[in-house]
Amino acid sequence: MKNNQLPSHASVVVIGGGVMGCSILYHLAKENVSDAILLERNQLTSGSTWHSAAQVRALRSTQNLTDMIRYSVDLYAQLEKETGQSTGWINKGSLSIATNKDRMIHIKRQEALAHLFGVRAQSISAGEAKERWPLMNADDVIGAVWSPDDGRVGPSDLCAAMVKGAKARGAKIFEETGVTGILTENNKVVGVETTRGTIRCDAVALCTGLWSRKAGAMGGVSVPVWSCEHFYLMTHAIEEIKGNLPTLSDHDSHLYMRDESGGLLVGCFEPMAKAIDPDQIGENFAFQLLPEDWDHFEPMLLNALHRVPALETAEVEMLLNGPEAFTPDGSFMLGESSETRGFYLGCGMNSIGIAIGGGAGMALAHTIIHGHPPTDLSDLDPRRFPDCFNSVKALCERSPEILGTHYEITFPGRQHKSARNLRQTPLHDQWTSHKARFGQFYGWERPLFFNSRTEPKLTFSRPEWFDQVGQEVEQAHKRAAIFDLSTFGKIEVTGADAETFLNRICANNMARPAGRAIYTAMLNERGTFENDFTAIRLTDEHYRLLTGTGMIKRDMAWLTRHKKDSERVSFHDSTEDFAIIALMGPESARIAGEINAPKLNDLGYFQSAVTNIGGNEIQATRLSYVGEAGWELTCRREDVKSLYTAIEDAGAKPAGIYAQSSMRIEKKFLAIGHDLDADLSPFEAGLEFAVDWQTDFIGRDALLARKEKGIESSLVLIVLNDGNAVPLGNEPVSISGKFIGKTTSAAFGYRTGKPVAIALLKQNGAIKLAELKGLEVEINIAGEMFKGTVSTAPVFDPEGLVMRSVI
Ligand SMILES: Cc1cc2nc3c(=O)[nH]c(=O)nc-3n(C[C@H](O)[C@H](O)[C@H](O)COP(=O)(O)OP(=O)(O)OC[C@H]3O[C@@H](n4cnc5c(N)ncnc54)[C@H](O)[C@@H]3O)c2cc1C
């Protein structure tokens, strides 16, 4: 075979030769996948990569994302030694300044997390910041955080080094070779068609940057990625700049700055960017830029002139306008698609592709080889997006907002303004008439709280909606409340082998009589959580799984992929067919009588039955996610309004997600994506009761091995002493100054009258898991230490009395 001749087969075809493609190829080769190839329709780095500002800032919102960038930093620093090719890595640190109180809280929260994640970061005064960046006007600066390990890299050099490393291990690269089709059989990738012929393969890694939406469609995969214009200004040399500077981030002014060839590079994440259709950019956009747009950049230029007065006399070299890819939630996509097996995504990098490319490439290569990511990366899972986000309209609206959020303060409760109302529950009009403030989850509009008259001011302090949520909790606790659970994912599992199949998929024993609800973990082969959900056995051959709102694609993919050919079982996503409302609170029993459904009161806890209310068939299940007595009532979508009206007329009032969240935390009901993830097993979560060792479920052996090795962390509750503290989750927990873990969810607990947090605490020299109960700990909330006491049981209704009392 000649050097540039395409092979007829490759185990993995990486599509796209930007930083992501190069990194994945390098890591596949490093893991001995020596027949992987990369296809690039133009030249390597010719997409977004070559013109990147290439800053590398380590600190991210989660440990696993932060670790990914730290991996990148280590890789970029050592690749030259391995390959002889420099990556242009310059480690000059970064400086984040604050010019208002909320930004200061934001960066203090980041600093606290940095320490927890093992990243060096240090609060410094405005004066010290100015010493580190003398060209800065620091008059309005009130503080800063200094991160010494950050730096920047040469994007093209970096790719050249990774390519050299990959080639040395047998990988091959073909430029001027575009992928024009993806071949699939039985929803599995079997090959690619290219401008130079067909290649059979076992998997593809789609690293096609801003062109990924169309490229995904070739394999039947929904890839909600769109592009925005992205600007930075470059000046000619400025006399005062001697040598390399740290990167200066002035997020309140939407700016970052650093030296470049003796001048300044001033980049921005302006509040509302300009979306641009990838088709308009075109396929041959190699090493090209978009036109300058000084009118659009002007507000940012004014901000820059304020921050760095020396810019006034600096000579402009160019205003660079390069396109970059954005997703609807500002995080990139890494992992296998739900639609097509062997179709992996590594795209939509949201302007951190260079910083995270090294770690992300390692993680995707690991996923391709081992079938799962190295750590929990569900924040990046491509299956987190509903298809409604893949419309041109939604993407055009959302992507400019996403670019603007890059430097926004992460206030709790912040909601996107664009691409709203993509999905509404059948009770949307009712919630609107109750003046609901809506939040968007998986495209759905869900009521956060009610009686909201004006746009609430976002804050890190006690929010404006505090009292309203308190009233909704009181309604559910003392009288009766209605929660809309219609957005839950619903999966009908039917067939003669439904029970045996589910007993393999679920850790709990699913062989229960019809009319039983079963709470179960769904574990992977490592014994950690893929999900948890409640299943209702409707008949011998029919279960309905009620899963988290955002989990439906993941669950459907998991079920489909684990079905054996011989098994007589099928799955149907019925989410849109049914509505669910939860009637919760001590007056539920009276209301059941008033709506002519007294039989509901005969149901025991975790029992389910069909009843008739107002002529409509209702599947009523006695369970509660809020720790109050009541039922979850499932009916056909079209019947829910009359059910709702009957219940409301009998005295129940609506309650929103914030009330539900506060109540579930007090009751220590754990939530996937917050408290539970693929790094945790039922042991750490305290959910062994949902594991039945008599069945042979996926993850059983790994779970036993985990126990054998010893469990080192535990999810607990922490009740804070100070009623005015506002924990939000993701805060470090320590004891005598030593970190022992972090909060995973938090809220004010209205029934206990104290702020409450769920926290994952890790056994170390400072604590023993057996001695957690009653332990005094400290939570670092934006640099302030708040004392709290550990509870290993729910802090509301610790004995389950409320729920048992109604059985
Ligand atoms: C102005 C600007 C500043 C930035 N600053 C930073 C920064 O400071 N730090 C940071 O981390 N990131 C930054 N970024 C973002 C970073 O540059 C990108 O996230 C990253 O380069 C994306 O890499 P990629 O591999 O995903 O995509 P790309 O580099 O765009 O590569 C995709 C490749 O796929 C090829 N392709 C597409 N379709 C096909 C097909 N069908 N067949 C074959 N090949 C195909 C394209 O030709 C292209 O080469 C910046 C971006 C911009 C625009």
Side-chain angles (χ1 to χ4, degrees):
M1 189 175 76
K2 279 203 210 121
N3 238 0
N4 68 346
Q5 196 179 325
L6 292 185
S8 58
H9 180 268
S11 55
V12 185
V13 173
V14 179
I15 310 174
V19 67
M20 284 301 294
C22 294
S23 177
I24 290 160
L25 188 75
Y26 169 77
H27 285 96
L28 285 169
K30 215 170 167 184
E31 291 276 336
N32 301 320
V33 185
S34 56
D35 68 336
I37 61 169
L38 185 153
L39 305 180
E40 162 58 51
R41 69 178 166 205
N42 295 309
Q43 292 92 43
L44 293 178
T45 75
S46 63
S48 293
T49 296
W50 70 278
H51 55 61
S52 174
Q55 256 99 234
V56 181
R57 298 182 63 231
L59 188 58
R60 301 288 142 182
S61 55
T62 69
Q63 176 85 55
N64 292 345
L65 277 178
T66 305
D67 286 349
M68 254 193 206
I69 301 196
R70 291 205 308 180
Y71 176 94
S72 294
V73 169
D74 290 345
L75 179 71
Y76 302 170
Q78 64 80 32
L79 261 178
E80 183 173 359
K81 209 156 111 203
E82 179 195 318
T83 63
Q85 164 69 50
S86 158
T87 62
W89 171 245
I90 297 173
N91 166 222
K92 278 283 164 183
S94 75
L95 193 61
S96 259
I97 56 171
T99 60
N100 62 58
K101 222 172 96 224
D102 284 330
R103 176 69 63 186
M104 203 61 216
I105 295 173
H106 173 89
I107 63 178
K108 289 263 182 191
R109 286 184 68 87
Q110 286 188 318
E111 185 196 1
L113 275 183
H115 295 159
L116 178 69
F117 297 164
V119 172
R120 290 198 296 158
Q122 181 196 343
S123 283
I124 57 175
S125 67
E128 287 168 297
K130 176 134 175 101
E131 273 171 35
R132 290 190 183 275
W133 228 87
L135 285 179
M136 154 170 64
N137 163 16
D139 291 353
D140 54 348
V141 176
I142 59 172
V145 168
W146 167 241
S147 308
D149 298 329
D150 292 345
R152 63 201 203 231
V153 76
S156 300
D157 289 343
L158 167 64
C159 290
M162 292 195 288
V163 161
K164 210 169 165 196
K167 279 184 171 170
R169 294 173 169 93
K172 292 202 166 46
I173 289 163
F174 300 90
E175 294 178 284
E176 310 291 348
T177 309
V179 173
T180 52
I182 311 270
L183 304 173
T184 61
E185 280 169 18
N186 299 324
N187 294 328
K188 167 142 191 10
V189 167
V190 293
V192 294
E193 278 169 351
T194 80
T195 46
R196 296 173 55 212
T198 300
I199 304 170
R200 304 289 290 182
C201 65
D202 308 320
V204 297
L206 194 78
C207 305
T208 44
L210 61 93
W211 296 275
S212 296
R213 181 169 174 273
K214 266 205 161 164
M218 293 193 286
V221 173
S222 165
V223 186
V225 163
W226 203 250
S227 44
C228 283
E229 302 184 26
H230 196 19
F231 297 88
Y232 60 74
L233 173 89
M234 283 200 291
T235 74
H236 287 292
I238 295 177
E239 209 188 311
E240 293 94 320
I241 297 180
K242 310 255 182 294
N244 295 127
L245 295 170
T247 300
L248 174 68
S249 296
D250 176 5
H251 293 176
D252 295 323
S253 305
H254 320 285
L255 297 174
Y256 64 89
M257 304 182 196
R258 64 164 169 84
D259 63 283
E260 177 64 44
S261 311
L264 272 184
L265 181 156
V266 181
C268 65
F269 285 91
E270 67 276 26
M272 196 44 86
K274 291 170 72 185
I276 177 164
D277 186 339
D279 274 354
Q280 195 185 326
I281 294 171
E283 292 185 5
N284 301 321
F285 190 83
F287 297 117
Q288 292 183 46
L289 294 171
L290 299 167
E292 291 183 341
D293 184 344
W294 284 100
D295 287 346
H296 184 75
F297 190 70
E298 191 185 342
M300 300 298 114
L301 181 61
L302 294 175
N303 289 352
L305 287 167
H306 166 76
R307 186 58 59 221
V308 185
L311 275 172
E312 273 187 36
T313 50
E315 213 181 312
V316 172
E317 186 186 331
M318 72 181 302
L319 176 58
L320 183 143
N321 180 5
E324 164 64 343
F326 293 88
T327 62
D329 66 359
S331 292
F332 58 102
M333 292 199 242
L334 200 80
E336 195 174 18
S337 75
S338 62
E339 296 92 340
T340 307
R341 284 230 77 172
F343 197 118
Y344 294 87
L345 304 179
C347 56
M349 300 311 291
N350 289 273
S351 218
I352 60 163
I354 304 297
I356 210 155
M362 176 276 291
L364 194 64
H366 184 286
T367 307
I368 295 170
I369 295 165
H370 300 284
H372 59 84
T375 53
D376 178 78
L377 295 178
S378 36
D379 292 354
L380 309 175
D381 190 331
R383 299 168 296 186
R384 71 189 185 275
F385 292 117
D387 290 344
C388 58
F389 271 125
N390 200 27
S391 81
V392 169
K393 184 172 182 299
L395 290 168
C396 275
E397 284 180 19
R398 177 58 64 84
S399 51
E401 185 185 2
I402 289 296
L403 183 145
T405 55
H406 201 76
Y407 280 174
E408 260 196 5
I409 296 173
T410 51
F411 284 118
R414 192 222 178 257
Q415 290 290 321
H416 291 119
K417 294 193 167 53
S418 59
R420 296 299 298 264
N421 286 304
L422 300 177
R423 301 175 91 183
Q424 296 179 345
T425 78
L427 290 172
H428 192 83
D429 292 347
Q430 277 71 12
W431 304 145
T432 305
S433 71
H434 282 284
K435 299 196 166 40
R437 173 74 33 192
F438 290 100
Q440 192 183 51
F441 301 84
Y442 199 63
W444 292 99
E445 297 295 334
R446 296 205 297 184
L448 301 172
F449 59 94
F450 292 90
N451 292 319
S452 167
R453 277 157 221 285
T454 51
E455 179 87 34
K457 187 179 167 309
L458 296 175
T459 171
F460 286 109
S461 311
R462 189 170 266 195
E464 280 175 20
W465 56 77
F466 182 87
D467 289 337
Q468 172 60 33
V469 174
Q471 283 166 29
E472 291 168 24
V473 171
E474 186 177 301
Q475 179 71 27
H477 179 48
K478 298 204 170 141
R479 294 176 291 279
I482 314 172
F483 296 87
D484 188 354
L485 310 183
S486 304
T487 65
F488 276 7
K490 304 164 201 90
I491 302 174
E492 312 297 320
V493 181
T494 51
D497 294 327
E499 180 186 299
T500 26
F501 170 76
L502 284 177
N503 255 349
R504 200 173 77 252
I505 296 294
C506 301
N508 209 338
N509 184 1
M510 308 302 280
R512 314 291 179 100
R516 268 302 302 268
I518 311 148
Y519 170 72
T520 181
M522 183 164 78
L523 305 178
N524 51 43
E525 289 76 3
R526 285 138 16 247
T528 59
F529 282 94
E530 280 301 306
N531 196 4
D532 71 330
F533 52 71
T534 301
I536 298 169
R537 188 164 198 172
L538 300 173
T539 67
D540 280 358
E541 296 191 4
H542 185 182
Y543 293 77
R544 178 172 296 145
L545 314 187
L546 302 177
T547 182
T549 299
M551 300 301 286
I552 185 77
K553 271 195 184 180
R554 279 179 67 138
D555 288 353
M556 283 296 286
W558 187 262
L559 298 178
T560 311
R561 284 164 197 190
H562 284 86
K563 177 189 167 317
K564 295 178 185 163
D565 287 344
S566 58
E567 278 172 327
R568 292 160 302 167
V569 60
S570 51
F571 324 107
H572 165 66
D573 173 0
S574 62
T575 304
E576 301 270 359
D577 301 338
F578 295 105
I580 309 179
I581 51 179
L583 169 63
M584 296 288 150
E587 289 184 7
S588 300
R590 172 188 63 74
I591 291 174
E594 282 183 31
I595 60 173
N596 289 326
K599 275 198 346 214
L600 291 185
N601 288 308
D602 300 337
L603 283 179
Y605 199 51
F606 268 70
Q607 282 186 350
S608 183
V610 177
T611 186
N612 193 298
I613 301 177
N616 297 321
E617 204 176 83
I618 312 287
Q619 182 77 39
T621 309
R622 183 175 280 285
L623 40 89
S624 170
Y625 194 45
V626 293
E628 301 291 342
W631 304 273
E632 291 184 2
L633 306 169
T634 306
C635 61
R636 303 230 40 107
R637 186 184 169 89
E638 54 276 18
D639 297 337
V640 74
K641 279 188 184 160
S642 64
L643 175 64
Y644 170 80
T645 307
I647 292 174
E648 190 181 37
D649 289 349
K653 289 191 175 153
I657 297 287
Y658 287 166
Q660 176 180 290
S661 190
S662 152
M663 296 172 91
R664 74 115 187 136
I665 292 171
E666 279 179 313
K667 192 75 183 120
K668 205 185 165 207
F669 286 145
L670 307 173
I672 193 92
H674 295 275
D675 317 303
L676 303 177
D677 63 30
D679 289 338
L680 280 193
S681 82
F683 291 124
E684 291 88 12
L687 293 175
E688 301 96 292
F689 69 86
V691 175
D692 182 345
W693 296 103
Q694 306 309 313
T695 59
D696 192 14
F697 58 88
I698 295 171
R700 187 178 187 279
D701 294 347
L703 211 50
L704 285 170
R706 208 170 170 108
K707 190 172 188 183
E708 184 90 351
K709 218 172 129 204
I711 303 303
E712 296 200 325
S713 42
S714 180
L715 278 168
V716 299
L717 279 176
I718 300 174
V719 181
L720 284 90
N721 299 349
D722 183 343
N724 292 317
V726 186
L728 303 171
N730 218 12
E731 291 110 353
V733 181
S734 56
I735 189 162
S736 314
K738 191 163 182 181
F739 288 126
I740 52 169
K742 71 169 186 109
T743 59
T744 52
S745 306
F748 187 83
Y750 293 88
R751 292 173 298 191
T752 45
K754 286 281 166 77
V756 199
I758 298 176
L760 182 66
L761 302 189
K762 198 168 165 24
Q763 179 159 281
N764 60 21
I767 56 162
K768 290 202 175 79
L769 290 192
E771 296 164 10
L772 288 180
K773 194 174 162 190
L775 200 69
E776 298 278 320
V777 296
E778 289 190 318
I779 301 184
N780 180 333
I781 305 179
E784 214 179 320
M785 304 306 279
F786 290 89
K787 286 194 166 28
T789 308
V790 171
S791 168
T792 47
V795 291
F796 170 73
D797 192 25
E799 308 297 330
L801 295 175
V802 169
M803 298 213 270
R804 273 211 291 276
S805 67
V806 291
I807 295 177

